[in-house]
């Protein structure tokens, strides 16, 4: 199913022509209205009229999240404040948040891309959408809210948490699809199980759009199994409107990134140079239609790769593989580079393991993986636990090259989050 068949299946030369026109317009816009970019262009000796082809993108400067913070609150605005319609913020680990402005057109485009993304997975106006993302300054809920309204769905702005109420709403209004973080999805699955709800039998749920943080294929399967539905990966970031940047189609093999609105590059994060076609690296995005706050070559820090083969669904917009982590999430433990997603991959593929885990770093580089056991399956024998513990430690060693301590915990003993989860506690005294 298509929301806008023409644009979604536009042939590559026409799509690239459209991208070039939009890139040129964006570059002219920032050169005229954003001193930060004007100065960068002057430093690099590049002028808007030097952009003749998409390859010229590489002549333009990168933008980083530090640049957004340094220009907080309005330094990167490309329109008069009067023409800004909405403000979202995105908080990082330190200091001021990033302020993201939307013009009327930006608000509309964001909703349009979410509508496209929902319809791509088979959502229609007959669907009932319970939005379990956080409403507020976070883009996660509002942007998808308006997208689903555009499709004509009944939208229930539930927000996350309060699982009793979620269940009541799902039962009373026959909710068919939800949008939530992987952490809350896993929690909700446990909640339903505890309350004797069999989602396939008792609820009308068909799909969950899951995103806002990285998760593995194994976690995806656990959510599908626990909630009795199909999971579609939902990717986005506040700097690019929020959700709706890249979503999965019904083929569920990679996320189509909407290339009429964003230009993709995959670079080696250490050198800034492009990687070879199909190789993993850091995703860098340039906005092509944003009016209030266009961004050039934004370093997302997300690690992924482009699927080079065309998709069977007929869309020409290229797909990204699941995000495997952020370049700034990388842990260095005893000199070894480790991504938390590698650990999640091992844990979630192991039978007997439950739905929650925590990576704890203490003392002089001691790594402990705290992991909950599955609700069902454990028969209370100590030998069983010891075996599982050593199997996990061994598999983890193969994956991350160091052998962590594995601590098995009863289900429900680790903290849960309704939003993004903190998976790593680093208390090392190095
Ligand atoms: O998380 C926007 C969003 C909301 C996307 C709801 C999808 C659903 P930020 O708070 O700015 O915006 O965080 C963006 O979250 O750079 C990734 O590191 C991570 N992220 C978002 N979606 C995914 C995903 C929203 N599907 C940052 N898989 C991004 C992996 C994701 N990581």
């Amino acid at each position: 199913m298509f929301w806008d068949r023409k644009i979604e299946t536009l042939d590559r030369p026409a799509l690239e022509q459209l991208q070039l026109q939009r890139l040129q317009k964006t570059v002219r816009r920032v050169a005229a209205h954003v001193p930060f970019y004007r100065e960068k262009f002057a430093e690099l000796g590049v002028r808007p009229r030097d952009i003749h082809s998409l390859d010229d993108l590489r002549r333009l400067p990168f933008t980083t999240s530090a640049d957004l913070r340094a220009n907080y609150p309005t330094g990167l605005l490309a329109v008069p404040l009067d023409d800004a319609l909405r403000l979202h913020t995105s908080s990082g680990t330190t200091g001021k948040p990033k302020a993201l402005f939307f013009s009327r057109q930006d608000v509309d485009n964001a909703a349009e891309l979410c509508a496209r993304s929902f319809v791509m997975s088979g959502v229609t106006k007959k669907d009932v959408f319970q939005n379990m993302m956080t409403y507020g300054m976070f883009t996660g809920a509002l942007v998808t809210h308006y997208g689903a309204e555009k499709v004509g769905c009944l939208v229930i702005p539930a927000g996350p948490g309060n699982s009793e109420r979620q269940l009541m709403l799902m039962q009373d209004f026959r909710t068919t699809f939800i949008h939530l973080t992987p952490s809350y999805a896993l929690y909700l699955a446990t909640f339903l199980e505890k309350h004797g709800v069999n989602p396939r039998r008792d609820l009308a749920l068909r799909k969950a759009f899951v995103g806002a943080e990285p998760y593995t294929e194994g976690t995806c399967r656990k959510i599908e199994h626990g909630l009795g539905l199909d999971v579609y990966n939902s990717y986005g970031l506040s700097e690019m409107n929020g959700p709706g940047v890249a979503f999965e189609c019904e083929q569920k093999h990679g996320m189509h990134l909407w290339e009429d609105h964003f230009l993709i590059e995959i670079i080696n994060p250490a050198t800034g140079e492009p990687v070879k076609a199909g190789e993993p690296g850091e995703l860098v995005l340039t906005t092509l239609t944003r009016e209030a706050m266009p961004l050039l070559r934004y370093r997302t820090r997300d690690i992924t790769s482009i699927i080079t083969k065309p998709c069977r669904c007929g869309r020409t917009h290229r797909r990204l593989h699941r995000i495997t982590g952020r370049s700034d999430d990388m842990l260095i433990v005893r000199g070894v580079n480790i991504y938390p997603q590698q650990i999640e991959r091992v844990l979630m593929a192991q039978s007997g393991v439950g739905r929650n885990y925590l990576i704890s770093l203490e003392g002089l580089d001691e790594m402990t993986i705290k992991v909950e056991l599955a609700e069902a399956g454990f028969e209370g024998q100590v030998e069983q636990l010891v075996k599982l513990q050593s199997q996990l430690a061994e598999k983890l060693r193969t994956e991350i090259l160091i052998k962590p301590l594995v601590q098995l915990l009863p289900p429900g003993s680790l903290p849960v989050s309704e939003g993004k989860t903190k998976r790593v506690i680093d208390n090392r005294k190095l």
Side-chain angles (χ1 to χ4, degrees):
M1 275 203 291
F2 292 90
W3 171 254
D4 184 342
R5 182 187 289 268
K6 184 161 175 262
I7 197 77
E8 291 173 49
T9 59
L10 200 62
D11 62 56
R12 292 296 304 178
L15 183 54
E16 284 169 16
Q17 187 54 35
L18 180 68
Q19 289 183 315
L20 178 60
Q21 280 163 11
R22 290 181 168 178
L23 174 67
Q24 287 168 329
K25 192 169 167 192
T26 300
V27 171
R28 281 197 301 272
R29 176 184 280 278
V30 296
H33 301 295
V34 186
F36 165 80
Y37 281 118
R38 228 182 355 254
E39 284 159 25
K40 289 260 183 190
F41 289 174
E43 270 168 39
L44 294 170
V46 59
R47 295 156 305 177
R49 62 171 182 276
D50 297 333
I51 306 301
H52 304 294
S53 73
L54 290 176
D55 288 339
D56 289 328
L57 181 66
R58 289 184 58 196
R59 304 187 57 182
L60 297 171
F62 286 119
T63 310
T64 64
S65 100
D67 295 327
L68 262 74
R69 281 180 222 291
N71 287 282
Y72 176 90
T74 53
L76 293 176
L77 253 186
V79 295
L81 197 53
D82 279 1
D83 291 337
L85 205 66
R86 197 195 293 168
L87 172 71
H88 279 289
T89 58
S90 171
S91 45
T93 40
T94 50
K96 292 276 192 195
K98 294 171 262 183
L100 291 316
F101 292 92
F102 291 58
S103 69
R104 184 173 298 282
Q105 186 63 52
D106 297 335
V107 164
D108 197 53
N109 282 341
E112 178 77 13
L113 293 188
C114 282
R116 245 193 229 177
S117 304
F118 286 145
V119 169
M120 169 163 72
S121 70
V123 165
T124 71
K125 73 181 282 290
K126 294 199 177 116
D127 278 293
V128 177
F129 175 39
Q130 194 161 320
N131 196 351
M132 301 183 182
M133 284 286 177
T134 304
Y135 279 80
M137 300 302 283
F138 179 49
T139 51
L142 276 175
V143 171
T144 46
H145 178 109
Y146 290 109
E149 281 190 356
K150 222 176 214 279
V151 178
C153 305
L154 170 65
V155 181
I156 307 174
N162 196 343
S163 304
E164 274 92 5
R165 192 187 58 172
Q166 302 284 9
L167 175 59
M168 181 194 80
L169 293 169
M170 289 194 285
Q171 286 169 330
D172 293 350
F173 300 99
R174 307 298 294 157
T175 301
T176 60
F177 78 103
I178 56 184
H179 186 225
L180 72 181
T181 59
S183 331
Y184 187 54
L186 290 170
Y187 178 77
L188 193 63
T190 307
F191 177 88
L192 295 184
E193 195 173 51
K194 273 202 181 124
H195 288 74
V197 180
N198 173 343
R200 284 194 195 276
R201 183 192 63 207
D202 306 329
L203 302 175
L205 284 181
R206 289 192 301 125
K207 299 175 202 300
F209 296 89
V210 177
E213 57 187 359
Y215 60 109
T216 58
E217 207 53 54
T219 299
C220 174
R221 295 287 94 77
K222 281 199 180 203
I223 298 171
E224 292 192 321
H225 184 253
L227 294 179
L229 40 63
D230 272 331
V231 166
Y232 292 84
N233 201 350
S234 148
Y235 173 77
L237 57 160
S238 323
E239 295 81 342
M240 305 283 135
N241 299 344
V245 175
F247 267 56
E248 278 177 319
C249 66
E250 279 174 306
Q251 303 291 326
K252 295 217 295 182
H253 183 63
M255 304 177 285
H256 289 279
L257 191 137
W258 298 122
E259 292 188 79
D260 53 331
H261 288 264
F262 307 103
L263 269 185
I264 315 177
E265 294 171 86
I266 307 279
I267 63 162
N268 174 333
T271 63
E273 290 301 314
V275 298
K276 291 209 191 81
E279 281 187 1
E282 178 184 336
L283 176 68
V284 172
L285 293 173
T286 297
T287 66
L288 292 177
T289 53
R290 279 185 70 89
E291 290 182 338
M293 224 175 118
L295 294 174
L296 302 181
R297 309 190 77 199
Y298 185 69
R299 301 277 306 251
T300 68
R301 304 285 169 196
D302 292 326
I303 305 293
T304 181
S305 53
I306 295 180
I307 300 178
T308 45
K309 279 202 187 125
C311 185
R312 293 229 291 271
C313 75
R315 287 177 184 80
T316 47
H317 300 242
R318 285 175 299 171
R319 288 165 296 162
L320 299 181
H321 277 294
R322 183 179 290 285
I323 310 287
T324 52
R326 293 177 53 82
S327 57
D328 47 8
D329 269 355
M330 194 181 75
L331 304 167
I332 304 184
V333 183
R334 292 180 229 157
V336 182
N337 299 352
I338 299 170
Y339 287 98
Q341 292 299 294
Q342 293 178 278
I343 296 172
E344 180 174 319
R345 203 156 42 232
V346 172
L347 299 179
M348 293 299 150
Q350 173 75 43
S351 67
V353 161
R355 298 182 175 127
N356 205 354
Y357 71 95
L358 188 71
I359 302 165
S360 165
L361 297 164
E362 306 277 343
L364 294 172
D365 257 0
E366 298 310 323
M367 180 186 251
T368 306
I369 314 282
K370 302 182 179 187
V371 54
E372 289 183 7
L373 290 164
E375 247 354 290
F378 173 57
E379 283 146 22
Q381 285 154 356
V382 176
E383 303 86 78
Q384 222 183 327
L385 285 184
V386 173
K387 191 165 156 225
L388 178 59
Q389 201 169 23
S390 73
Q391 271 177 347
L392 276 176
E394 213 32 65
K395 285 184 183 167
L396 284 164
R397 192 174 60 89
T398 312
E399 174 72 36
I400 61 176
L401 309 178
I402 61 167
K403 197 168 176 178
L405 214 67
V406 174
Q407 206 179 337
L408 299 173
L409 300 168
S413 41
L414 289 172
V416 281
S417 161
E418 297 163 353
K420 304 197 190 215
T421 305
K422 200 167 164 42
R423 294 283 186 200
V424 182
I425 309 274
D426 193 346
N427 286 328
R428 281 177 293 182
K429 294 180 188 62
L430 295 175

